[in-house]
Amino acid sequence: MWFIETVVLSCIITLGWTLMFTVPRRYILPCLLMTAFGFGLKTALVYQHVHIVVASFFGAMLASFLGVYFSKKYTLPPKALISPSVICMMPGIAAYKAMVSMVQIGYFGYSDELFSQMMVYLFEALFVTSGLVLGLSIPGLLFYRRRAIV
């Protein structure tokens, strides 16, 4: 039951971003489907104890493949569909905790514990963001490449 709640909440986030990006009304459902499948895959992989960076990579890649499919079906640019559907996978909590740790270092003074906590959260946020970027770029490299790979 928690899985369905999580996916529905991520779809609500995507609905807000589609309204903010002024996506046309008839293309909101494909964005929500891309979010449901991409974020659902990420959540399922994290539940199966796959590292969050790898799970984010595969979730973003699935959403991006679906975005390429829907963009060809509706003759839209794929980024118009993919961007709102992947925002819910951004590592906001890790980035926030890294920032709070940095502020605590400035307020309380330097300590090894706070510095290591800050670095752990900072690198988690950086690597999850990198996994999302790589996952988003794979379908573009495969389908929109003009020259041969080799």
Side-chain angles (χ1 to χ4, degrees):
M1 189 66 182
W2 66 269
F3 181 76
I4 295 171
E5 290 174 2
T6 306
V7 170
V8 168
L9 288 174
S10 68
C11 287
I12 291 172
I13 292 169
T14 299
L15 179 64
W17 282 102
T18 56
L19 296 176
M20 198 170 190
F21 286 162
T22 61
V23 174
R25 185 176 287 172
R26 64 179 179 252
Y27 304 128
I28 290 177
L29 183 62
C31 286
L32 295 178
L33 287 174
M34 290 165 38
T35 299
F37 285 115
F39 190 81
L41 178 65
K42 176 194 169 212
T43 305
L45 288 175
V46 168
Y47 182 73
Q48 296 296 325
H49 305 293
V50 174
H51 198 272
I52 191 166
V53 175
V54 178
S56 297
F57 169 75
F58 283 116
M61 192 167 60
L62 177 63
S64 188
F65 274 119
L66 289 173
V68 169
Y69 169 74
F70 285 129
S71 70
K72 286 184 181 183
K73 183 177 179 182
Y74 296 117
T75 62
L76 282 173
K79 300 300 178 200
L81 294 173
I82 295 170
S83 298
S85 66
V86 177
I87 288 179
C88 62
M89 290 190 231
M90 293 301 286
I93 293 174
Y96 176 76
K97 287 182 179 180
M99 182 187 67
V100 167
S101 299
M102 190 181 313
V103 169
Q104 285 178 343
I105 288 174
Y107 185 74
F108 295 118
Y110 176 81
S111 74
D112 288 335
E113 181 181 325
L114 277 176
F115 185 75
S116 68
Q117 179 182 1
M118 178 191 69
M119 294 308 282
V120 164
Y121 288 130
L122 176 71
F123 282 118
E124 180 181 340
L126 286 174
F127 283 126
V128 169
T129 304
S130 300
L132 289 174
V133 168
L134 288 174
L136 289 173
S137 65
I138 298 281
L141 290 174
L142 292 177
F143 294 122
Y144 297 111
R145 188 168 176 90
R146 301 259 187 249
R147 297 180 308 170
I149 293 175
V150 179

